[in-house]
Amino acid sequence: MALKTLGQFIIEKQADFPYAKGELSRLLRDIGIAAKVINREVNKAGLADILGEIGDQNIQGEVQKKLDVYADEQFIEALRRGGECCYIASEEHEFGIDLTRGYHVNNGKYMVCIDPLDGSSNIDLNVSVGSIFSIYRRKIADVEITADEILQLGSDQVAAGYIIYGSSTMLVYTTGKGVNGFTLDPSIGEFCLSHPNMKIAENGTTYSINEGNYLKFPQYVKDYIKYCQMEDAETSRPYTSRYIGSMVADLHRTLITGGIFLYPETSSYPQGKLRLLYECNPMAFIIEQAGGKAVSGQERILTIQPKYLHQRSSIIIGSRLMVEKVQEFMLPNYDTADVLGKKLTFSG
Ligand code: AHG
Ligand code: MN
Ligand code: MN
């Protein structure tokens, strides 16, 4: 079977958007190019002096790694040069970047949110990291951009995707018509369609959460973790626990094998830790398009109205039935003791 490259696929799919004149296709192509350049640097991270911290702190107060900065620059330059994007919100910048000003003026129709390098604490460890992108259309054209134009609902995204730099490099994206995955063939330098029409299983047997935070979790999360650990042949419990610490890698596994990923509110992060605009929304769009579910609690992630750029959210995402099970544990009248109590016998 002949290989289909990302470029060919995007051109074929352009017919799905009769209103579009190819701008979105070009924007996706630009992101694909930035991804290949970042992939090259990630692959040689152990060799070059690009490895290590540069000491600067980003807006979240976290120490930036050189590769975060590099990835951020690559995306911004690719989007600036491509001409289809007028505004960028990046995890690494306190304020949005208005591309309608400056040395290369763009009046593109699209606005892009990026997490240029996700899972950056894993770079030094040769563990998978990723990039996440989310694309919105400008609501009002031809007037000066205001900073809050980017604060659209996740359900308004026109496209979203991630790149995982793993044992192989993949780009997975959706434009609201299903999810497709492309694997980078390094011998020809092209992303090739390898996972057409990706679907997440309705149920799963893997849960993914930083259990080190157990004591900081709300009660419903503690209860759900106990539920996952309890023996029950009918529901294949105890479930398997897997946590990489890169959201992209944890969700890529969840998408492929089924399962659930949780980063709930904790006493350290009362709003949750992950960022709504460039982590939760794009991942929620992808997982929903694959048939899964993504909520912050009882609310769907994609209908949360963002109020500011770096807003955080709790997130519970993955196989639909597993997410719904967590939501049952949140209900005030849910008889947790009945589900857990009688079967829980701790020794020691
Ligand atoms: P980033 O590297 O972009 O700051 O994101 C890190 C995020 C996410 O990738 C991961 O799921 C989560 O932080 C891990 O957090 P904990 O170490 O608190 O579990
Ligand atoms: Mn991240
Ligand atoms: Mn990041």
Side-chain angles (χ1 to χ4, degrees), residues 91-92 115 117-118:
E91 182 198 9
E92 302 297 337
D115 179 354
L117 203 77
D118 173 71

Side-chain angles (χ1 to χ4, degrees), residues 62 91 115 117-120 210 243 245-247 261 263 273-275 279:
E62 296 152 349
E91 182 198 9
D115 179 354
L117 203 77
D118 173 71
S120 40
N210 184 345
Y243 191 74
S246 297
M247 185 196 201
F261 172 88
Y263 210 113
K273 179 186 177 194
L274 299 176
R275 278 55 64 107
E279 292 177 319

Side-chain angles (χ1 to χ4, degrees), residues 153-296:
L153 296 182
S155 54
D156 289 338
Q157 289 171 102
V158 293
Y162 64 79
I163 297 105
I164 176 165
Y165 312 100
S167 48
S168 57
T169 295
M170 275 189 76
L171 186 150
V172 174
Y173 83 100
T174 183
T175 53
K177 292 184 159 37
V179 181
N180 291 284
F182 300 80
T183 302
L184 184 64
D185 180 340
S187 66
I188 57 170
E190 294 279 7
F191 283 107
C192 299
L193 181 63
S194 53
H195 295 60
N197 197 19
M198 297 171 86
K199 292 285 174 212
I200 181 167
E202 167 171 77
N203 212 344
T205 56
T206 303
Y207 70 104
S208 186
I209 186 167
N210 184 345
E211 268 182 81
N213 292 327
Y214 186 85
L215 295 176
K216 298 179 176 180
F217 287 145
Q219 191 57 42
Y220 76 87
V221 176
K222 292 179 179 171
D223 291 343
Y224 180 70
I225 291 173
K226 282 289 157 253
Y227 169 83
C228 292
Q229 295 169 344
M230 279 168 54
E231 185 108 29
D232 179 57
E234 208 177 304
T235 49
S236 307
R237 286 179 288 144
Y239 293 157
T240 297
S241 168
R242 291 283 182 273
Y243 191 74
I244 296 167
S246 297
M247 185 196 201
V248 167
D250 280 313
L251 275 177
H252 184 68
R253 181 198 57 249
T254 304
L255 172 58
I256 294 200
T257 65
I260 188 167
F261 172 88
L262 306 95
Y263 210 113
E265 62 277 20
T266 66
S267 48
S268 308
Y269 290 105
Q271 315 299 324
K273 179 186 177 194
L274 299 176
R275 278 55 64 107
L276 180 60
L277 266 74
Y278 36 80
E279 292 177 319
C280 301
N281 271 338
M283 288 307 195
F285 189 22
I286 293 165
I287 292 292
E288 280 199 6
Q289 280 293 314
K293 192 160 175 166
V295 298
S296 63

Side-chain angles (χ1 to χ4, degrees), residues 64-186:
Q64 284 186 347
K65 302 273 177 163
K66 279 188 181 178
L67 216 45
D68 296 45
V69 179
Y70 182 84
D72 183 59
E73 286 168 0
Q74 289 305 317
F75 275 116
I76 292 170
E77 274 319 295
L79 293 171
R80 192 194 297 276
R81 271 189 255 110
E84 311 300 346
C85 170
C86 59
Y87 196 87
I88 303 171
S90 164
E91 182 198 9
E92 302 297 337
H93 294 263
E94 180 172 5
F95 302 109
I97 301 160
D98 182 350
L99 297 182
T100 63
R101 300 153 196 261
Y103 68 89
H104 188 307
V105 176
N106 272 343
N107 272 313
K109 286 184 188 154
Y110 294 98
M111 308 178 103
V112 180
C113 299
I114 46 169
D115 179 354
L117 203 77
D118 173 71
S120 40
S121 65
N122 281 323
I123 298 166
D124 293 1
L125 313 175
N126 216 343
V127 172
S128 298
V129 292
S131 302
I132 310 174
F133 61 91
S134 162
I135 303 175
Y136 295 89
R137 189 176 258 270
R138 267 202 88 183
K139 291 232 155 114
I140 343 142
D142 301 327
V143 289
E144 208 169 301
I145 294 182
T146 58
D148 52 9
E149 268 185 67
I150 196 88
L151 303 178
Q152 299 186 30
L153 296 182
S155 54
D156 289 338
Q157 289 171 102
V158 293
Y162 64 79
I163 297 105
I164 176 165
Y165 312 100
S167 48
S168 57
T169 295
M170 275 189 76
L171 186 150
V172 174
Y173 83 100
T174 183
T175 53
K177 292 184 159 37
V179 181
N180 291 284
F182 300 80
T183 302
L184 184 64
D185 180 340

